[in-house]
Amino acid sequence: MKIALFATCIVDGMYPSTARATVAILERLGHEVVFPPGQACCGQMHINSGYFAEALPVVANHVKAFDTGDYDVAVAPSASCVASVKHQQPMIADRAGDARLKRRSEEVGTRTYELSQLLVDVLGVTDAATQLGSWFPTSVTYHPSCHGMRLLRLGDRQLDLLRTVEGIELADLPAADQCCGFGGTFSMKNAEVSSAMLADKADNVTASGAALCTGGDASCLLHIGGGLSRTGANAGTLHLAEILASTRENPYDAGTSFPRDVEVAR
């Protein structure tokens, strides 16, 4: 297949290693990955904050970038951004009375998948060790993001993939289904509430005893990682894609990105 990568803002700006890991996984399976050059923000932060009019040109830009016949499906290593593409973008077009943009946004949405959705539902990956060569001999706990659970209904797709990674030690995360408190601009507009929610999440990650907390949304992991670092906890965060991309031949190294010869800002 030809697969278009939707990198997302936070991955592009803060965690480029996650995008590279996503590409590495898909190319390992024999697929071609392309990068639509016109892509930018999906508009999620505008929409979540109620700036619907301001979101309209952002949505239109995303649709223009991905409304092409040059790929089979699109993928993003972010449940929240995929949820925005599938659910919020058509809503914004509809509110603006733009029927053509709504139709085009719906067509883009039907071809856009979160990474675990694409791997499990489309590409038939059920055993990460066997099919991807995934090897990650580390203790890990898993945080399911709110958008992944509630809007995309990912269920156990991400967790099931993690369970099949060779060498991994999975630890249960207490109160895993509770929000980490990020919520985009919520963490800034409601800082005290967000910080209290984050403190609970950081305490639960520490209680799990795992060395790393993983998940499918870089935004949540950014928030959780910040909370852990401020408490002096030994645990860190790492995106699911980087765990799946790690192999015996090319293992993940916390000091480098994937592939190993490119530095990561952490």
Side-chain angles (χ1 to χ4, degrees):
M1 298 179 73
K2 181 180 284 190
I3 301 171
L5 175 65
F6 169 33
T8 80
C9 298
I10 289 183
V11 169
D12 182 56
M14 301 294 293
Y15 299 102
S17 56
T18 296
R20 288 193 286 268
T22 300
V23 173
I25 292 165
L26 298 174
E27 290 183 342
R28 193 177 300 163
L29 290 168
H31 304 287
E32 178 186 358
V33 182
V34 296
F35 186 83
Q39 65 179 281
C41 179
C42 64
Q44 178 188 172
M45 291 188 72
H46 305 69
I47 300 166
N48 288 350
S49 298
Y51 295 108
F52 295 159
E54 292 81 358
L56 184 61
V58 183
V59 170
N61 180 77
H62 182 89
V63 171
K64 180 181 178 181
F66 285 89
D67 186 18
T68 73
D70 192 42
Y71 67 93
D72 299 303
V73 295
V75 65
S78 168
S80 62
C81 293
V82 172
S84 184
V85 169
K86 287 181 172 294
H87 299 283
Q88 291 183 328
Q89 291 193 352
M91 178 269 289
I92 290 297
D94 187 55
R95 287 180 63 95
D98 193 331
R100 182 171 181 271
L101 180 61
K102 180 184 179 183
R103 176 182 55 76
R104 291 171 64 209
S105 68
E106 289 172 340
E107 290 171 354
V108 170
T110 60
R111 289 199 289 165
T112 304
Y113 294 84
E114 180 272 335
L115 179 59
S116 70
Q117 277 184 320
L118 179 68
L119 290 174
V120 174
D121 298 351
V122 180
L123 304 182
V125 176
T126 56
D127 190 317
T130 301
Q131 295 170 273
L132 301 176
S134 306
W135 180 77
F136 198 80
T138 307
S139 59
V140 175
T141 194
Y142 166 71
H143 165 71
S145 71
C146 296
H147 285 87
M149 285 193 299
R150 296 177 176 88
L151 276 177
L152 292 189
R153 301 191 182 280
L154 294 180
D156 290 333
R157 289 175 179 83
Q158 294 177 346
L159 192 56
D160 286 344
L161 287 171
L162 285 169
R163 290 188 178 114
T164 62
V165 172
E166 183 181 1
I168 199 169
E169 298 176 25
L170 273 177
D172 290 335
L173 179 63
D177 62 347
Q178 291 185 9
C179 178
C180 70
F182 180 63
T185 55
F186 171 82
S187 61
M188 293 177 278
K189 292 181 176 180
N190 302 276
E192 292 184 0
V193 176
S194 172
S195 295
M197 297 167 72
L198 174 60
D200 288 344
K201 182 63 67 172
D203 286 345
N204 287 331
V205 171
T206 300
S208 75
L212 287 171
C213 176
T214 192
D217 272 87
S219 53
C220 296
L221 297 176
L222 175 72
H223 193 56
I224 296 169
L228 291 169
S229 68
R230 287 191 291 275
T231 65
N234 291 325
T237 59
L238 187 66
H239 196 281
L240 167 73
E242 299 191 57
I243 292 177
L244 297 179
S246 178
T247 66
R248 285 181 178 272
E249 296 74 23
N250 193 6
Y252 173 82
D253 185 328
T256 63
S257 69
F258 194 93
R260 294 166 62 96
D261 60 348
V262 183
E263 289 191 4
V264 181
R266 291 191 182 278

